[in-house]
Amino acid sequence: MNRQKELQVIEERQLTSVMNETRWKRLGRAVSEVLKYAPPYQIKFLGEATLFPSESLSEYEVLWAEWGEIWVESSLQSIEWIRLRPKVLIDKGAIVDPDVCDMTDELISILKKERISFVQGKETIQIFGYVRDTGIFEPKRDA
């Protein structure tokens, strides 16, 4: 999608940018420098109906080369959101069960250090490039 169409989507949906290319690149670099494994991810691009790289969010680690390509080849200003799975399965072979590596604390530490707003779900952390309402970042209060 070209930038003009993206701007039209932003206007029609009344979205506000909460990230920029510099912050996305800092996030990508910090994750690759701090985390032991590349977290599985899904990206929603502005105006696109399908998620990248697939509709299902893997539980297994991603290759660092694939992680690095996001921050170089993708149009960072087009990322509506990215969803990360901080608990990853590490494949040890066909006979042995995979190990679980929980990088939740490290990932949250990166996000706080870089001052990147996020929403933590049960199994994922979602970082937004564009939002309609910044209230999604407010802590949920029990009624």
Side-chain angles (χ1 to χ4, degrees):
M1 175 178 290
N2 67 39
R3 188 63 181 156
Q4 186 173 4
K5 288 184 181 180
E6 289 173 351
L7 293 172
Q8 185 178 351
V9 168
I10 291 167
E11 185 176 328
E12 287 172 0
R13 293 181 48 207
Q14 299 177 352
L15 299 174
T16 301
S17 175
V18 291
M19 288 284 278
N20 59 35
E21 288 190 35
T22 302
R23 295 180 82 201
W24 282 121
K25 286 179 182 179
R26 282 198 337 239
L27 171 63
R29 186 171 38 255
V31 165
S32 55
E33 289 173 356
V34 173
L35 299 185
K36 187 172 182 177
Y37 300 101
Y41 65 91
Q42 285 178 308
I43 300 176
K44 166 78 169 70
F45 290 102
L46 286 169
E48 299 291 330
T50 57
L51 301 177
F52 176 83
S54 71
E55 290 295 315
S56 61
L57 182 57
S58 175
E59 294 182 346
Y60 287 88
E61 67 177 308
V62 174
L63 297 175
W64 280 115
E66 182 181 336
W67 176 262
E69 288 175 9
I70 301 170
W71 316 107
V72 174
E73 296 180 10
S74 296
S75 179
L76 299 176
Q77 65 186 2
S78 302
I79 296 175
E80 186 171 341
W81 53 257
I82 184 169
R83 182 181 298 137
L84 304 174
R85 183 184 301 275
K87 290 182 185 175
V88 299
L89 298 179
I90 310 304
D91 196 9
K92 295 175 66 180
I95 300 174
V96 181
D97 288 338
D99 284 340
V100 177
C101 181
D102 186 353
M103 303 177 293
T104 304
D105 292 341
E106 293 93 336
L107 183 55
I108 289 173
S109 176
I110 291 168
L111 294 168
K112 287 180 177 180
K113 180 181 177 193
E114 296 294 336
R115 295 185 172 151
I116 296 173
S117 298
F118 62 95
V119 175
Q120 185 174 4
K122 184 177 177 184
E123 296 181 359
T124 62
I125 292 176
Q126 194 161 353
I127 303 149
F128 292 84
Y130 295 90
V131 294
R132 186 165 184 176
D133 177 10
T134 56
I136 65 169
F137 301 122
E138 298 297 323
K140 294 184 178 158
R141 299 173 195 233
D142 294 332

